[in-house]
Amino acid sequence: MKLVACNGNRPLAEAIAAYLNIELTDASVRRFSDMEVFVEIHENVRGEDCFVIQPTSYPANDNLMELLVTLDALRRSSARRITAVIPYFGYARQDRKTSPRTPITSKLVANVIDVAGANRVVTLDLHSGQIQGFFDIPLDNLFCAPVFSKDIQERYPGERPIIVSPDVGGVVRARGLASRIEADLAIIDKRRERAGVSEVMNIIGDVNGRLCILVDDIVDSAGTLCNAAVALKEAGATAVSAYVSHGVLSGGAVARVTSSPLDSLVITDSIQATEAMRLAKNVRQLTIAPLMAEAIQRISDERSVSSLFD
């Protein structure tokens, strides 16, 4: 097995390698003076099972290009199998036509990853399940639920939390986590007036006097989560926390979270934390390195990956 790390999230790649007790493959991913991406593999990978670890988070286009060029370098180096390990799959929110003459960029990205040389893809908590069908190669979509459920049980022993989906589209995800910890479920019905702006309309479920835990896959501007936290508090919730798979947290999102009623926002290290995230008093990060490493090992050994979530 060979692990190749690009520049998107080097600390996560190092943590995965440490868990598997192997060294990262000696490779360089650098730029020419005009910012062209250049990749060079400094080890023999002929006939090897190679895993390229690279989220396509900010800067999304640079990180995506690094991934594609690395896949091509390995393909041309006669690697036996190449797996793109993408902890955060960028462009996932562009999974359908939302208005006339708009692209379905998730499908485009799936196509170019396939053409670049990937034989398989491993990712985490896709924004929507149908993206799996955009790929013509096998895709393993891992889930954060085991990581989140363990942390919730350790943080709130003896509590009776209620899991809350911040919108109707996230109900399946929230229900899955609720069933793991045997908790009740509530749903926030919201209307989005325009991109990046949401308005909470109604809460489906009784949250009065309860500890509420919001669950989502992506937090970007954090407007939805903060509005949801305000609505839950107004409905009588004793405390509100949020567990989100991918902490994009762009622009003034961290400041918005810090000044919100959220007691804590828990994200994973699928995206490398910025300095603002590390300094925020109510933002905490959980590692997915063991989960990703176990999946990589099982794929390499030709064992079941889905049994990780039984």
Side-chain angles (χ1 to χ4, degrees), residues 22-41:
I22 60 177
E23 296 288 332
L24 288 172
T25 297
D26 185 13
S28 57
V29 182
R30 56 185 189 271
R31 301 286 194 278
F32 288 137
S33 58
D34 63 351
M35 300 307 292
E36 276 188 20
V37 175
F38 178 74
V39 174
E40 188 173 6
I41 311 296

Side-chain angles (χ1 to χ4, degrees), residues 43-258:
E43 295 181 20
N44 179 26
V45 295
R46 184 180 297 273
E48 295 282 359
D49 195 7
C50 297
F51 295 83
V52 182
I53 303 171
Q54 174 77 337
T56 52
S57 49
Y58 176 85
N61 299 330
D62 286 356
N63 285 334
L64 176 59
M65 200 64 200
E66 282 188 10
L67 172 64
L68 298 175
V69 176
T70 305
L71 293 173
D72 187 71
L74 291 169
R75 179 173 63 88
R76 295 178 188 277
S77 302
S78 301
R80 176 174 58 85
R81 181 173 62 179
I82 307 168
T83 301
V85 181
I86 311 173
Y88 170 68
F89 184 78
Y91 289 103
R93 287 171 284 184
Q94 298 184 48
D95 59 350
R96 65 195 186 280
K97 285 175 69 74
T98 55
S99 60
R101 296 171 297 282
T102 57
I104 304 178
T105 317
S106 296
K107 173 58 176 170
L108 171 64
V109 172
N111 287 344
V112 295
I113 288 172
D114 189 352
V115 170
N119 304 115
R120 189 180 199 96
V121 171
V122 176
T123 189
L124 180 77
D125 269 344
L126 278 172
H127 182 61
S128 54
Q130 68 263 27
I131 295 174
Q132 297 175 74
F134 293 173
F135 287 87
D136 295 324
I137 54 178
L139 182 143
D140 293 294
N141 182 29
L142 309 181
F143 303 105
C144 286
V147 179
F148 287 166
S149 60
K150 180 181 178 183
D151 189 76
I152 291 169
Q153 288 167 339
E154 290 175 353
R155 286 268 166 177
Y156 308 107
E159 295 270 5
R160 290 181 56 250
I162 182 168
I163 303 299
V164 183
S165 173
D167 52 40
V168 175
V171 171
V172 173
R173 182 180 298 104
R175 186 185 295 121
L177 180 60
S179 64
R180 277 185 171 270
I181 62 174
E182 299 180 351
D184 295 328
L185 179 68
I187 304 166
I188 292 180
D189 172 38
K190 75 172 191 297
R191 181 175 61 208
R192 188 180 296 276
E193 300 294 341
R194 62 183 186 274
V197 178
S198 64
E199 180 185 356
V200 173
M201 298 299 293
N202 191 28
I203 298 173
I204 305 169
D206 183 11
V207 300
N208 186 39
R210 304 289 297 275
L211 162 65
C212 294
I213 298 177
L214 287 155
V215 179
D216 210 348
D217 63 319
I218 298 173
V219 53
D220 188 351
S221 66
T224 295
L225 279 185
C226 294
N227 289 346
V230 170
L232 291 169
K233 280 285 192 177
E234 290 176 350
T238 57
V240 182
S241 293
Y243 281 75
V244 182
S245 306
H246 309 295
V248 177
L249 294 172
S250 60
V254 175
R256 194 172 293 115
V257 169
T258 303

